[in-house]
Amino acid sequence: MQLFFSDNISSIEGRLTEDESRHCLSVLRKKTGDTIQVIDGKGFIYDCLISQDKKICAFIVQQVHEIKPLRTSRIHLAIAPTKNADRIEWLLEKAIEAGLDEISFVHCVHSEKPRVNSERLKKIAVSAIKQSGQPYLPVINELRSFKEFIAAQQSASQKLIAHCNSEYLRTPLNNVLSGYSKDTSVTILIGPEGDFSDKEIMLANESKFQGISLGNSRLRTETAGLYSVMLANGILLP
Amino acid sequence: MQLFFSDNISSIEGRLTEDESRHCLSVLRKKTGDTIQVIDGKGFIYDCLISQDKKICAFIVQQVHEIKPLRTSRIHLAIAPTKNADRIEWLLEKAIEAGLDEISFVHCVHSEKPRVNSERLKKIAVSAIKQSGQPYLPVINELRSFKEFIAAQQSASQKLIAHCNSEYLRTPLNNVLSGYSKDTSVTILIGPEGDFSDKEIMLANESKFQGISLGNSRLRTETAGLYSVMLANGILLP
């Protein structure tokens, strides 16, 4: 089942983006009158009839199906970007397959790379939900400083910070997650290769982030991110 | 801390492989009299003094440290190789970071690619344990037919098969793992993109493989493999 993505769709009609139109019309050679399935990244799949096949693909909606999320909880990953952008792109793709709901990028004292290409990440996210059949497009937040990020999480329910500094209390992620009810939403903060600074850990702890350990000695940033999402998704699935 | 790998080492002396020697002598320009740290992939780290720096790096062992495994359980992943070899290579690297102990390759009815380059995979495994500081080199088994693989698992304790066929009983992996004691060794069998055949599922069930689901609708083979290893490692960590 080939899915297309549209962020310009109602229960009556809609149109694909330029990229998606090119794929649909030029690559797959769909024509006016052909049927396609479109997702909106908000939990709906639309059965559509193509009504325009010149440059932009427009369509009439014939039926709408609502796809219920697998979890009632939400998983929010916050991570320091890696030096090589492709490692974060890889992480995003795999984390979406594993059920990621939201991702934030955090600039830390030991961060290697202070830039994130959100446009490119959004494209990767769209392609990942199409490929994996996930009906929800995760929220992708712009890069923020560590301080700004922490301040913005005041109202978040369960907040975790993964670090390697044994001077601060850390509980294994598995134990923390197993203690939650299945509808608990969780924010997990993963640091750069050089770990968080003492100051950052203290600031997070003051803001009710609980210290966690990921068990294995030396995980790359992106592996730590994916590990957290996979574990949270696996344990919080009803 | 730069680690080197040797499969030719005693408590007195040893030598690096040709690849490792080149890296040590030509790239890092280590000389006779320099100290290096060597791992044997069997749980030991050796402090060594280089005694020969021509072509092959030989050394005298000065001290041996034993690294205890993080888990008492063992995680064995069995998987159908993917069409693109690089997806299995990626899986192996990440699964090792996440604590994989053994990997097998299984040729299924719907397998896309019946070959595996074990030599190349072994190199990737060595580089992954060096990078992640894992002291154990996982066992990498040659490709076998589904039947042969199943027959060889007779004595294995907990055996799981992940498939998407709702006609057969499946329990979410998380629930299965949470019911185990922390020292349970587990074998998890992941099928090709086209899933296992009915016959394969029945054969596995007859051989005491329990059916499991991975919760998410459509995971790529290599994501399913990594997801299983990460979940098993996370839940079975003491």
mmCIF file with all atom_site columns, all heavy atoms in Angstrom, chain A residues 90 94 97 174 216 218 220 223 227 233-234, chain B residues 90 94 97 131 174 216 218 220 223 227 233-234:
data_model
loop_
_atom_site.group_PDB
_atom_site.id
_atom_site.type_symbol
_atom_site.label_atom_id
_atom_site.label_alt_id
_atom_site.label_comp_id
_atom_site.label_asym_id
_atom_site.label_entity_id
_atom_site.label_seq_id
_atom_site.pdbx_PDB_ins_code
_atom_site.Cartn_x
_atom_site.Cartn_y
_atom_site.Cartn_z
_atom_site.occupancy
_atom_site.B_iso_or_equiv
_atom_site.pdbx_formal_charge
_atom_site.auth_seq_id
_atom_site.auth_comp_id
_atom_site.auth_asym_id
_atom_site.auth_atom_id
_atom_site.pdbx_PDB_model_num
ATOM 1   N N   . TRP A 1 90  ? 19.366 9.508  10.691 1.00 0.00 ? 90  TRP A N   1
ATOM 2   C CA  . TRP A 1 90  ? 19.177 8.069  10.911 1.00 0.00 ? 90  TRP A CA  1
ATOM 3   C C   . TRP A 1 90  ? 18.329 7.837  12.172 1.00 0.00 ? 90  TRP A C   1
ATOM 4   O O   . TRP A 1 90  ? 17.374 7.065  12.164 1.00 0.00 ? 90  TRP A O   1
ATOM 5   C CB  . TRP A 1 90  ? 20.570 7.422  11.055 1.00 0.00 ? 90  TRP A CB  1
ATOM 6   C CG  . TRP A 1 90  ? 20.523 6.053  11.613 1.00 0.00 ? 90  TRP A CG  1
ATOM 7   C CD1 . TRP A 1 90  ? 20.359 4.898  10.905 1.00 0.00 ? 90  TRP A CD1 1
ATOM 8   C CD2 . TRP A 1 90  ? 20.594 5.686  12.989 1.00 0.00 ? 90  TRP A CD2 1
ATOM 9   N NE1 . TRP A 1 90  ? 20.331 3.838  11.770 1.00 0.00 ? 90  TRP A NE1 1
ATOM 10  C CE2 . TRP A 1 90  ? 20.471 4.285  13.040 1.00 0.00 ? 90  TRP A CE2 1
ATOM 11  C CE3 . TRP A 1 90  ? 20.757 6.390  14.191 1.00 0.00 ? 90  TRP A CE3 1
ATOM 12  C CZ2 . TRP A 1 90  ? 20.498 3.569  14.242 1.00 0.00 ? 90  TRP A CZ2 1
ATOM 13  C CZ3 . TRP A 1 90  ? 20.772 5.683  15.383 1.00 0.00 ? 90  TRP A CZ3 1
ATOM 14  C CH2 . TRP A 1 90  ? 20.652 4.296  15.406 1.00 0.00 ? 90  TRP A CH2 1
ATOM 15  N N   . LYS A 1 94  ? 14.536 5.955  12.424 1.00 0.00 ? 94  LYS A N   1
ATOM 16  C CA  . LYS A 1 94  ? 14.328 4.726  13.200 1.00 0.00 ? 94  LYS A CA  1
ATOM 17  C C   . LYS A 1 94  ? 13.429 4.987  14.410 1.00 0.00 ? 94  LYS A C   1
ATOM 18  O O   . LYS A 1 94  ? 12.617 4.144  14.788 1.00 0.00 ? 94  LYS A O   1
ATOM 19  C CB  . LYS A 1 94  ? 15.670 4.160  13.669 1.00 0.00 ? 94  LYS A CB  1
ATOM 20  C CG  . LYS A 1 94  ? 16.557 3.694  12.549 1.00 0.00 ? 94  LYS A CG  1
ATOM 21  C CD  . LYS A 1 94  ? 15.886 2.569  11.774 1.00 0.00 ? 94  LYS A CD  1
ATOM 22  C CE  . LYS A 1 94  ? 16.635 2.222  10.512 1.00 0.00 ? 94  LYS A CE  1
ATOM 23  N NZ  . LYS A 1 94  ? 15.838 1.359  9.633  1.00 0.00 ? 94  LYS A NZ  1
ATOM 24  N N   . GLU A 1 97  ? 9.838  4.944  13.339 1.00 0.00 ? 97  GLU A N   1
ATOM 25  C CA  . GLU A 1 97  ? 9.364  3.559  13.204 1.00 0.00 ? 97  GLU A CA  1
ATOM 26  C C   . GLU A 1 97  ? 9.042  2.985  14.579 1.00 0.00 ? 97  GLU A C   1
ATOM 27  O O   . GLU A 1 97  ? 8.121  2.191  14.731 1.00 0.00 ? 97  GLU A O   1
ATOM 28  C CB  . GLU A 1 97  ? 10.445 2.686  12.560 1.00 0.00 ? 97  GLU A CB  1
ATOM 29  C CG  . GLU A 1 97  ? 10.526 2.758  11.066 1.00 0.00 ? 97  GLU A CG  1
ATOM 30  C CD  . GLU A 1 97  ? 11.501 1.697  10.539 1.00 0.00 ? 97  GLU A CD  1
ATOM 31  O OE1 . GLU A 1 97  ? 11.175 0.517  10.566 1.00 0.00 ? 97  GLU A OE1 1
ATOM 32  O OE2 . GLU A 1 97  ? 12.609 2.089  10.120 1.00 0.00 ? 97  GLU A OE2 1
ATOM 33  N N   . ASN A 1 174 ? 15.001 1.277  32.473 1.00 0.00 ? 174 ASN A N   1
ATOM 34  C CA  . ASN A 1 174 ? 14.024 0.191  32.528 1.00 0.00 ? 174 ASN A CA  1
ATOM 35  C C   . ASN A 1 174 ? 13.214 0.222  33.824 1.00 0.00 ? 174 ASN A C   1
ATOM 36  O O   . ASN A 1 174 ? 11.990 0.106  33.805 1.00 0.00 ? 174 ASN A O   1
ATOM 37  C CB  . ASN A 1 174 ? 14.777 -1.143 32.389 1.00 0.00 ? 174 ASN A CB  1
ATOM 38  C CG  . ASN A 1 174 ? 13.942 -2.317 32.825 1.00 0.00 ? 174 ASN A CG  1
ATOM 39  O OD1 . ASN A 1 174 ? 12.753 -2.349 32.566 1.00 0.00 ? 174 ASN A OD1 1
ATOM 40  N ND2 . ASN A 1 174 ? 14.570 -3.262 33.485 1.00 0.00 ? 174 ASN A ND2 1
ATOM 41  N N   . ASN A 1 216 ? 24.327 0.447  29.415 1.00 0.00 ? 216 ASN A N   1
ATOM 42  C CA  . ASN A 1 216 ? 25.521 0.047  28.680 1.00 0.00 ? 216 ASN A CA  1
ATOM 43  C C   . ASN A 1 216 ? 26.568 1.133  28.744 1.00 0.00 ? 216 ASN A C   1
ATOM 44  O O   . ASN A 1 216 ? 26.264 2.320  28.747 1.00 0.00 ? 216 ASN A O   1
ATOM 45  C CB  . ASN A 1 216 ? 25.158 -0.306 27.247 1.00 0.00 ? 216 ASN A CB  1
ATOM 46  C CG  . ASN A 1 216 ? 24.299 -1.548 27.228 1.00 0.00 ? 216 ASN A CG  1
ATOM 47  O OD1 . ASN A 1 216 ? 23.138 -1.478 27.576 1.00 0.00 ? 216 ASN A OD1 1
ATOM 48  N ND2 . ASN A 1 216 ? 24.880 -2.666 26.894 1.00 0.00 ? 216 ASN A ND2 1
ATOM 49  N N   . ARG A 1 218 ? 29.066 2.583  26.903 1.00 0.00 ? 218 ARG A N   1
ATOM 50  C CA  . ARG A 1 218 ? 29.422 3.722  26.066 1.00 0.00 ? 218 ARG A CA  1
ATOM 51  C C   . ARG A 1 218 ? 28.562 3.694  24.819 1.00 0.00 ? 218 ARG A C   1
ATOM 52  O O   . ARG A 1 218 ? 28.899 3.039  23.844 1.00 0.00 ? 218 ARG A O   1
ATOM 53  C CB  . ARG A 1 218 ? 30.904 3.614  25.685 1.00 0.00 ? 218 ARG A CB  1
ATOM 54  C CG  . ARG A 1 218 ? 31.618 4.927  25.648 1.00 0.00 ? 218 ARG A CG  1
ATOM 55  C CD  . ARG A 1 218 ? 32.948 4.773  24.948 1.00 0.00 ? 218 ARG A CD  1
ATOM 56  N NE  . ARG A 1 218 ? 33.913 3.900  25.620 1.00 0.00 ? 218 ARG A NE  1
ATOM 57  C CZ  . ARG A 1 218 ? 35.080 3.510  25.080 1.00 0.00 ? 218 ARG A CZ  1
ATOM 58  N NH1 . ARG A 1 218 ? 35.424 3.933  23.875 1.00 0.00 ? 218 ARG A NH1 1
ATOM 59  N NH2 . ARG A 1 218 ? 35.890 2.715  25.718 1.00 0.00 ? 218 ARG A NH2 1
ATOM 60  N N   . ARG A 1 220 ? 26.836 5.680  21.610 1.00 0.00 ? 220 ARG A N   1
ATOM 61  C CA  . ARG A 1 220 ? 26.870 6.909  20.845 1.00 0.00 ? 220 ARG A CA  1
ATOM 62  C C   . ARG A 1 220 ? 25.584 7.685  21.122 1.00 0.00 ? 220 ARG A C   1
ATOM 63  O O   . ARG A 1 220 ? 24.547 7.084  21.444 1.00 0.00 ? 220 ARG A O   1
ATOM 64  C CB  . ARG A 1 220 ? 26.901 6.601  19.356 1.00 0.00 ? 220 ARG A CB  1
ATOM 65  C CG  . ARG A 1 220 ? 28.244 6.212  18.822 1.00 0.00 ? 220 ARG A CG  1
ATOM 66  C CD  . ARG A 1 220 ? 28.058 5.660  17.423 1.00 0.00 ? 220 ARG A CD  1
ATOM 67  N NE  . ARG A 1 220 ? 29.305 5.239  16.856 1.00 0.00 ? 220 ARG A NE  1
ATOM 68  C CZ  . ARG A 1 220 ? 30.114 6.032  16.134 1.00 0.00 ? 220 ARG A CZ  1
ATOM 69  N NH1 . ARG A 1 220 ? 29.772 7.284  15.904 1.00 0.00 ? 220 ARG A NH1 1
ATOM 70  N NH2 . ARG A 1 220 ? 31.235 5.573  15.664 1.00 0.00 ? 220 ARG A NH2 1
ATOM 71  N N   . THR A 1 223 ? 22.593 6.343  19.291 1.00 0.00 ? 223 THR A N   1
ATOM 72  C CA  . THR A 1 223 ? 22.168 5.021  19.768 1.00 0.00 ? 223 THR A CA  1
ATOM 73  C C   . THR A 1 223 ? 21.447 5.171  21.109 1.00 0.00 ? 223 THR A C   1
ATOM 74  O O   . THR A 1 223 ? 20.431 4.517  21.354 1.00 0.00 ? 223 THR A O   1
ATOM 75  C CB  . THR A 1 223 ? 23.377 4.072  19.928 1.00 0.00 ? 223 THR A CB  1
ATOM 76  O OG1 . THR A 1 223 ? 24.199 4.171  18.774 1.00 0.00 ? 223 THR A OG1 1
ATOM 77  C CG2 . THR A 1 223 ? 22.924 2.639  20.103 1.00 0.00 ? 223 THR A CG2 1
ATOM 78  N N   . TYR A 1 227 ? 17.734 3.947  21.689 1.00 0.00 ? 227 TYR A N   1
ATOM 79  C CA  . TYR A 1 227 ? 17.553 2.982  22.783 1.00 0.00 ? 227 TYR A CA  1
ATOM 80  C C   . TYR A 1 227 ? 16.451 3.460  23.732 1.00 0.00 ? 227 TYR A C   1
ATOM 81  O O   . TYR A 1 227 ? 15.567 2.695  24.115 1.00 0.00 ? 227 TYR A O   1
ATOM 82  C CB  . TYR A 1 227 ? 18.884 2.861  23.521 1.00 0.00 ? 227 TYR A CB  1
ATOM 83  C CG  . TYR A 1 227 ? 18.932 1.819  24.614 1.00 0.00 ? 227 TYR A CG  1
ATOM 84  C CD1 . TYR A 1 227 ? 19.096 0.475  24.300 1.00 0.00 ? 227 TYR A CD1 1
ATOM 85  C CD2 . TYR A 1 227 ? 18.855 2.183  25.951 1.00 0.00 ? 227 TYR A CD2 1
ATOM 86  C CE1 . TYR A 1 227 ? 19.158 -0.482 25.310 1.00 0.00 ? 227 TYR A CE1 1
ATOM 87  C CE2 . TYR A 1 227 ? 18.920 1.236  26.957 1.00 0.00 ? 227 TYR A CE2 1
ATOM 88  C CZ  . TYR A 1 227 ? 19.079 -0.097 26.626 1.00 0.00 ? 227 TYR A CZ  1
ATOM 89  O OH  . TYR A 1 227 ? 19.144 -1.041 27.622 1.00 0.00 ? 227 TYR A OH  1
ATOM 90  N N   . ASN A 1 233 ? 8.801  2.961  24.262 1.00 0.00 ? 233 ASN A N   1
ATOM 91  C CA  . ASN A 1 233 ? 7.681  2.464  23.460 1.00 0.00 ? 233 ASN A CA  1
ATOM 92  C C   . ASN A 1 233 ? 7.336  1.033  23.849 1.00 0.00 ? 233 ASN A C   1
ATOM 93  O O   . ASN A 1 233 ? 6.166  0.698  24.074 1.00 0.00 ? 233 ASN A O   1
ATOM 94  C CB  . ASN A 1 233 ? 8.034  2.529  21.977 1.00 0.00 ? 233 ASN A CB  1
ATOM 95  C CG  . ASN A 1 233 ? 6.909  2.021  21.098 1.00 0.00 ? 233 ASN A CG  1
ATOM 96  O OD1 . ASN A 1 233 ? 5.839  2.629  21.042 1.00 0.00 ? 233 ASN A OD1 1
ATOM 97  N ND2 . ASN A 1 233 ? 7.107  0.891  20.446 1.00 0.00 ? 233 ASN A ND2 1
ATOM 98  N N   . GLY A 1 234 ? 8.351  0.190  23.962 1.00 0.00 ? 234 GLY A N   1
ATOM 99  C CA  . GLY A 1 234 ? 8.115  -1.226 24.280 1.00 0.00 ? 234 GLY A CA  1
ATOM 100 C C   . GLY A 1 234 ? 7.458  -1.397 25.632 1.00 0.00 ? 234 GLY A C   1
ATOM 101 O O   . GLY A 1 234 ? 6.535  -2.198 25.796 1.00 0.00 ? 234 GLY A O   1
ATOM 102 N N   . TRP B 1 90  ? 24.552 -2.286 9.589  1.00 0.00 ? 90  TRP B N   1
ATOM 103 C CA  . TRP B 1 90  ? 24.088 -1.248 10.505 1.00 0.00 ? 90  TRP B CA  1
ATOM 104 C C   . TRP B 1 90  ? 23.467 -1.878 11.752 1.00 0.00 ? 90  TRP B C   1
ATOM 105 O O   . TRP B 1 90  ? 23.769 -1.495 12.878 1.00 0.00 ? 90  TRP B O   1
ATOM 106 C CB  . TRP B 1 90  ? 23.051 -0.376 9.766  1.00 0.00 ? 90  TRP B CB  1
ATOM 107 C CG  . TRP B 1 90  ? 22.241 0.487  10.657 1.00 0.00 ? 90  TRP B CG  1
ATOM 108 C CD1 . TRP B 1 90  ? 22.546 1.751  11.059 1.00 0.00 ? 90  TRP B CD1 1
ATOM 109 C CD2 . TRP B 1 90  ? 21.000 0.142  11.278 1.00 0.00 ? 90  TRP B CD2 1
ATOM 110 N NE1 . TRP B 1 90  ? 21.568 2.212  11.895 1.00 0.00 ? 90  TRP B NE1 1
ATOM 111 C CE2 . TRP B 1 90  ? 20.611 1.248  12.052 1.00 0.00 ? 90  TRP B CE2 1
ATOM 112 C CE3 . TRP B 1 90  ? 20.182 -0.983 11.280 1.00 0.00 ? 90  TRP B CE3 1
ATOM 113 C CZ2 . TRP B 1 90  ? 19.441 1.265  12.811 1.00 0.00 ? 90  TRP B CZ2 1
ATOM 114 C CZ3 . TRP B 1 90  ? 19.017 -0.975 12.035 1.00 0.00 ? 90  TRP B CZ3 1
ATOM 115 C CH2 . TRP B 1 90  ? 18.666 0.141  12.781 1.00 0.00 ? 90  TRP B CH2 1
ATOM 116 N N   . LYS B 1 94  ? 24.794 -1.479 15.757 1.00 0.00 ? 94  LYS B N   1
ATOM 117 C CA  . LYS B 1 94  ? 23.950 -0.898 16.798 1.00 0.00 ? 94  LYS B CA  1
ATOM 118 C C   . LYS B 1 94  ? 23.556 -1.942 17.839 1.00 0.00 ? 94  LYS B C   1
ATOM 119 O O   . LYS B 1 94  ? 23.462 -1.644 19.032 1.00 0.00 ? 94  LYS B O   1
ATOM 120 C CB  . LYS B 1 94  ? 22.681 -0.290 16.183 1.00 0.00 ? 94  LYS B CB  1
ATOM 121 C CG  . LYS B 1 94  ? 22.964 0.896  15.286 1.00 0.00 ? 94  LYS B CG  1
ATOM 122 C CD  . LYS B 1 94  ? 23.641 1.995  16.054 1.00 0.00 ? 94  LYS B CD  1
ATOM 123 C CE  . LYS B 1 94  ? 24.133 3.101  15.148 1.00 0.00 ? 94  LYS B CE  1
ATOM 124 N NZ  . LYS B 1 94  ? 25.049 4.018  15.841 1.00 0.00 ? 94  LYS B NZ  1
ATOM 125 N N   . GLU B 1 97  ? 26.341 -2.404 20.318 1.00 0.00 ? 97  GLU B N   1
ATOM 126 C CA  . GLU B 1 97  ? 26.317 -1.313 21.306 1.00 0.00 ? 97  GLU B CA  1
ATOM 127 C C   . GLU B 1 97  ? 25.251 -1.577 22.359 1.00 0.00 ? 97  GLU B C   1
ATOM 128 O O   . GLU B 1 97  ? 25.407 -1.235 23.528 1.00 0.00 ? 97  GLU B O   1
ATOM 129 C CB  . GLU B 1 97  ? 26.001 0.024  20.618 1.00 0.00 ? 97  GLU B CB  1
ATOM 130 C CG  . GLU B 1 97  ? 27.176 0.707  19.971 1.00 0.00 ? 97  GLU B CG  1
ATOM 131 C CD  . GLU B 1 97  ? 26.771 2.104  19.504 1.00 0.00 ? 97  GLU B CD  1
ATOM 132 O OE1 . GLU B 1 97  ? 26.605 2.997  20.343 1.00 0.00 ? 97  GLU B OE1 1
ATOM 133 O OE2 . GLU B 1 97  ? 26.596 2.293  18.276 1.00 0.00 ? 97  GLU B OE2 1
ATOM 134 N N   . GLN B 1 131 ? 34.778 0.447  19.738 1.00 0.00 ? 131 GLN B N   1
ATOM 135 C CA  . GLN B 1 131 ? 34.192 1.782  19.845 1.00 0.00 ? 131 GLN B CA  1
ATOM 136 C C   . GLN B 1 131 ? 33.351 1.920  21.100 1.00 0.00 ? 131 GLN B C   1
ATOM 137 O O   . GLN B 1 131 ? 33.367 2.935  21.775 1.00 0.00 ? 131 GLN B O   1
ATOM 138 C CB  . GLN B 1 131 ? 33.360 2.069  18.586 1.00 0.00 ? 131 GLN B CB  1
ATOM 139 C CG  . GLN B 1 131 ? 33.023 3.529  18.358 1.00 0.00 ? 131 GLN B CG  1
ATOM 140 C CD  . GLN B 1 131 ? 31.829 3.987  19.166 1.00 0.00 ? 131 GLN B CD  1
ATOM 141 O OE1 . GLN B 1 131 ? 30.904 3.221  19.376 1.00 0.00 ? 131 GLN B OE1 1
ATOM 142 N NE2 . GLN B 1 131 ? 31.869 5.210  19.658 1.00 0.00 ? 131 GLN B NE2 1
ATOM 143 N N   . ASN B 1 174 ? 7.353  -7.105 25.132 1.00 0.00 ? 174 ASN B N   1
ATOM 144 C CA  . ASN B 1 174 ? 7.543  -6.501 26.450 1.00 0.00 ? 174 ASN B CA  1
ATOM 145 C C   . ASN B 1 174 ? 6.950  -7.377 27.560 1.00 0.00 ? 174 ASN B C   1
ATOM 146 O O   . ASN B 1 174 ? 7.588  -7.616 28.581 1.00 0.00 ? 174 ASN B O   1
ATOM 147 C CB  . ASN B 1 174 ? 6.886  -5.114 26.446 1.00 0.00 ? 174 ASN B CB  1
ATOM 148 C CG  . ASN B 1 174 ? 6.660  -4.569 27.830 1.00 0.00 ? 174 ASN B CG  1
ATOM 149 O OD1 . ASN B 1 174 ? 7.497  -4.777 28.706 1.00 0.00 ? 174 ASN B OD1 1
ATOM 150 N ND2 . ASN B 1 174 ? 5.548  -3.892 28.041 1.00 0.00 ? 174 ASN B ND2 1
ATOM 151 N N   . ASN B 1 216 ? 4.487  -2.345 16.975 1.00 0.00 ? 216 ASN B N   1
ATOM 152 C CA  . ASN B 1 216 ? 4.317  -1.331 15.945 1.00 0.00 ? 216 ASN B CA  1
ATOM 153 C C   . ASN B 1 216 ? 3.974  -1.967 14.620 1.00 0.00 ? 216 ASN B C   1
ATOM 154 O O   . ASN B 1 216 ? 4.443  -3.055 14.296 1.00 0.00 ? 216 ASN B O   1
ATOM 155 C CB  . ASN B 1 216 ? 5.560  -0.465 15.855 1.00 0.00 ? 216 ASN B CB  1
ATOM 156 C CG  . ASN B 1 216 ? 5.721  0.326  17.127 1.00 0.00 ? 216 ASN B CG  1
ATOM 157 O OD1 . ASN B 1 216 ? 6.088  -0.244 18.147 1.00 0.00 ? 216 ASN B OD1 1
ATOM 158 N ND2 . ASN B 1 216 ? 5.390  1.593  17.091 1.00 0.00 ? 216 ASN B ND2 1
ATOM 159 N N   . ARG B 1 218 ? 4.497  -1.632 11.268 1.00 0.00 ? 218 ARG B N   1
ATOM 160 C CA  . ARG B 1 218 ? 5.295  -2.054 10.129 1.00 0.00 ? 218 ARG B CA  1
ATOM 161 C C   . ARG B 1 218 ? 6.744  -1.676 10.360 1.00 0.00 ? 218 ARG B C   1
ATOM 162 O O   . ARG B 1 218 ? 7.156  -0.569 10.025 1.00 0.00 ? 218 ARG B O   1
ATOM 163 C CB  . ARG B 1 218 ? 4.763  -1.339 8.874  1.00 0.00 ? 218 ARG B CB  1
ATOM 164 C CG  . ARG B 1 218 ? 4.727  -2.214 7.650  1.00 0.00 ? 218 ARG B CG  1
ATOM 165 C CD  . ARG B 1 218 ? 4.532  -1.398 6.387  1.00 0.00 ? 218 ARG B CD  1
ATOM 166 N NE  . ARG B 1 218 ? 3.245  -0.723 6.296  1.00 0.00 ? 218 ARG B NE  1
ATOM 167 C CZ  . ARG B 1 218 ? 2.954  0.161  5.321  1.00 0.00 ? 218 ARG B CZ  1
ATOM 168 N NH1 . ARG B 1 218 ? 3.842  0.474  4.400  1.00 0.00 ? 218 ARG B NH1 1
ATOM 169 N NH2 . ARG B 1 218 ? 1.782  0.756  5.295  1.00 0.00 ? 218 ARG B NH2 1
ATOM 170 N N   . ARG B 1 220 ? 10.766 -2.278 9.564  1.00 0.00 ? 220 ARG B N   1
ATOM 171 C CA  . ARG B 1 220 ? 11.700 -2.930 8.645  1.00 0.00 ? 220 ARG B CA  1
ATOM 172 C C   . ARG B 1 220 ? 12.390 -4.071 9.400  1.00 0.00 ? 220 ARG B C   1
ATOM 173 O O   . ARG B 1 220 ? 12.536 -4.004 10.625 1.00 0.00 ? 220 ARG B O   1
ATOM 174 C CB  . ARG B 1 220 ? 12.789 -1.945 8.222  1.00 0.00 ? 220 ARG B CB  1
ATOM 175 C CG  . ARG B 1 220 ? 12.355 -0.982 7.144  1.00 0.00 ? 220 ARG B CG  1
ATOM 176 C CD  . ARG B 1 220 ? 13.440 0.073  7.010  1.00 0.00 ? 220 ARG B CD  1
ATOM 177 N NE  . ARG B 1 220 ? 13.107 1.031  5.994  1.00 0.00 ? 220 ARG B NE  1
ATOM 178 C CZ  . ARG B 1 220 ? 13.456 0.919  4.711  1.00 0.00 ? 220 ARG B CZ  1
ATOM 179 N NH1 . ARG B 1 220 ? 14.179 -0.114 4.313  1.00 0.00 ? 220 ARG B NH1 1
ATOM 180 N NH2 . ARG B 1 220 ? 13.108 1.827  3.847  1.00 0.00 ? 220 ARG B NH2 1
ATOM 181 N N   . THR B 1 223 ? 15.094 -2.897 11.742 1.00 0.00 ? 223 THR B N   1
ATOM 182 C CA  . THR B 1 223 ? 14.584 -2.141 12.890 1.00 0.00 ? 223 THR B CA  1
ATOM 183 C C   . THR B 1 223 ? 13.955 -3.105 13.891 1.00 0.00 ? 223 THR B C   1
ATOM 184 O O   . THR B 1 223 ? 14.123 -2.960 15.105 1.00 0.00 ? 223 THR B O   1
ATOM 185 C CB  . THR B 1 223 ? 13.534 -1.096 12.450 1.00 0.00 ? 223 THR B CB  1
ATOM 186 O OG1 . THR B 1 223 ? 14.024 -0.400 11.312 1.00 0.00 ? 223 THR B OG1 1
ATOM 187 C CG2 . THR B 1 223 ? 13.246 -0.106 13.565 1.00 0.00 ? 223 THR B CG2 1
ATOM 188 N N   . TYR B 1 227 ? 15.162 -3.402 17.640 1.00 0.00 ? 227 TYR B N   1
ATOM 189 C CA  . TYR B 1 227 ? 14.127 -3.165 18.651 1.00 0.00 ? 227 TYR B CA  1
ATOM 190 C C   . TYR B 1 227 ? 14.102 -4.319 19.652 1.00 0.00 ? 227 TYR B C   1
ATOM 191 O O   . TYR B 1 227 ? 14.063 -4.109 20.864 1.00 0.00 ? 227 TYR B O   1
ATOM 192 C CB  . TYR B 1 227 ? 12.781 -3.041 17.938 1.00 0.00 ? 227 TYR B CB  1
ATOM 193 C CG  . TYR B 1 227 ? 11.598 -2.686 18.803 1.00 0.00 ? 227 TYR B CG  1
ATOM 194 C CD1 . TYR B 1 227 ? 11.398 -1.382 19.200 1.00 0.00 ? 227 TYR B CD1 1
ATOM 195 C CD2 . TYR B 1 227 ? 10.689 -3.653 19.206 1.00 0.00 ? 227 TYR B CD2 1
ATOM 196 C CE1 . TYR B 1 227 ? 10.295 -1.041 19.979 1.00 0.00 ? 227 TYR B CE1 1
ATOM 197 C CE2 . TYR B 1 227 ? 9.589  -3.328 19.976 1.00 0.00 ? 227 TYR B CE2 1
ATOM 198 C CZ  . TYR B 1 227 ? 9.399  -2.022 20.364 1.00 0.00 ? 227 TYR B CZ  1
ATOM 199 O OH  . TYR B 1 227 ? 8.320  -1.683 21.132 1.00 0.00 ? 227 TYR B OH  1
ATOM 200 N N   . ASN B 1 233 ? 17.684 -6.263 26.165 1.00 0.00 ? 233 ASN B N   1
ATOM 201 C CA  . ASN B 1 233 ? 18.791 -5.777 26.991 1.00 0.00 ? 233 ASN B CA  1
ATOM 202 C C   . ASN B 1 233 ? 18.263 -4.867 28.098 1.00 0.00 ? 233 ASN B C   1
ATOM 203 O O   . ASN B 1 233 ? 18.621 -5.025 29.268 1.00 0.00 ? 233 ASN B O   1
ATOM 204 C CB  . ASN B 1 233 ? 19.790 -5.021 26.136 1.00 0.00 ? 233 ASN B CB  1
ATOM 205 C CG  . ASN B 1 233 ? 20.960 -4.514 26.943 1.00 0.00 ? 233 ASN B CG  1
ATOM 206 O OD1 . ASN B 1 233 ? 21.744 -5.289 27.462 1.00 0.00 ? 233 ASN B OD1 1
ATOM 207 N ND2 . ASN B 1 233 ? 21.056 -3.192 27.089 1.00 0.00 ? 233 ASN B ND2 1
ATOM 208 N N   . GLY B 1 234 ? 17.393 -3.959 27.744 1.00 0.00 ? 234 GLY B N   1
ATOM 209 C CA  . GLY B 1 234 ? 16.877 -2.997 28.729 1.00 0.00 ? 234 GLY B CA  1
ATOM 210 C C   . GLY B 1 234 ? 16.116 -3.693 29.841 1.00 0.00 ? 234 GLY B C   1
ATOM 211 O O   . GLY B 1 234 ? 16.269 -3.353 31.019 1.00 0.00 ? 234 GLY B O   1
#
